[in-house]
Amino acid sequence: MSSELNLILLGPPGAGKGTQAERLTFDFNLPYIATGNILRGAVRDETALGKEAKSYMAKGELVPDSVITGVILEALNSADARDGFLLDGFPRTLPQADALALGLQDADRRLTAVILIDVPDEEVQRRLSGRRVSVKTGRVYHVEFDPPKHEGRCDIDGSRLVQRDDDKPETIAKRLAVYHAETEPLTEYYDARGLLRRFDGTRAPTEVHDHIRATIATLRLEDEL
Ligand code: AP5
């Protein structure tokens, strides 16, 4: 069995999945496959996928399983993801998890771990209402917890920072409700398979990162033994 790292990031909206992914992909040199970014790109480019996904996303609902599953299985089979991946935003429902398990089995691969970043709903509201994203680099900030050096501008290239359409209070509430109903059952699903690793996402980003990185490094060592 190869020692490739095949990882899933799980957690409520605003848990800090994207924030941690930026650091972890750097640490472990993994391709980052984020359904939210793929779908937002498709909406921006007005592709068939984007046209289908747009109304669901704007309302804070999930796009249908049939729309997203094929896109992700294809990404996992691409040359980029052959030696491992960090998957963020998929699976989000039990049927998506089953489809992923089958897809990996067909390719004779297996998951290394599912990283759950947990934060309570009140914290999600605070984080998402203050989130700002660079229109060019995609770098994520928070007006209070992780502000840019110059207000409204990305530290990397000075590009404009904007608020995501689905970060309005009423849409955040809907996304949280969808998370609890559709996605939270996956914690039990992966726990039963011995894959779940839980992290307290209320700590500072650096601390959350240190904990996750240490766990992944240990898992990789165990795999190589
Ligand atoms: P997606 O883009 O995946 O959204 P999400 O899961 O709701 O997650 P977010 O991107 O909002 O949050 P995050 O956890 O990455 O937090 P971040 O690091 O930015 O999905 C969007 C939509 O696409 C869905 O609603 C759905 O419609 C559709 N979709 C996607 N996948 C799908 C699927 N599989 N099936 C069907 N539909 C699908 O951090 C948030 C903020 O907090 C930032 O401002 C950050 O600076 C700050 N922050 C981060 N960490 C900390 C910390 N430790 N302390 C303080 N502040 C922090």
Side-chain angles (χ1 to χ4, degrees), residues 12-19 35-36 39-40 56-57 60-63 68 88-90 92 96 127-128 131 140-142 145-146 164 166 175 201 203-205 208:
K17 302 182 295 294
T19 300
T35 48
L39 290 170
R40 278 185 291 278
Y56 295 101
M57 294 176 76
E61 291 170 3
L62 296 181
V63 306
I68 190 73
D88 172 2
F90 190 93
R92 252 179 156 102
Q96 290 181 16
R127 287 190 185 178
L128 294 188
R131 173 164 61 183
V140 174
Y141 298 86
H142 191 282
F145 308 131
D146 182 18
R164 254 169 60 174
D166 57 354
R175 287 163 64 199
R203 293 170 181 268
V208 179

Side-chain angles (χ1 to χ4, degrees), residues 110-154:
R110 64 178 180 83
L111 287 173
T112 311
V114 175
I115 295 158
L116 171 67
I117 306 179
D118 215 2
V119 298
D121 290 7
E122 319 81 72
E123 179 68 11
V124 167
Q125 289 279 2
R126 281 172 55 207
R127 287 190 185 178
L128 294 188
S129 49
R131 173 164 61 183
R132 300 291 181 271
V133 186
S134 156
V135 286
K136 276 215 179 138
T137 66
R139 165 81 161 84
V140 174
Y141 298 86
H142 191 282
V143 292
E144 191 185 336
F145 308 131
D146 182 18
K149 290 195 183 85
H150 303 283
E151 200 187 323
R153 294 284 158 191
C154 179

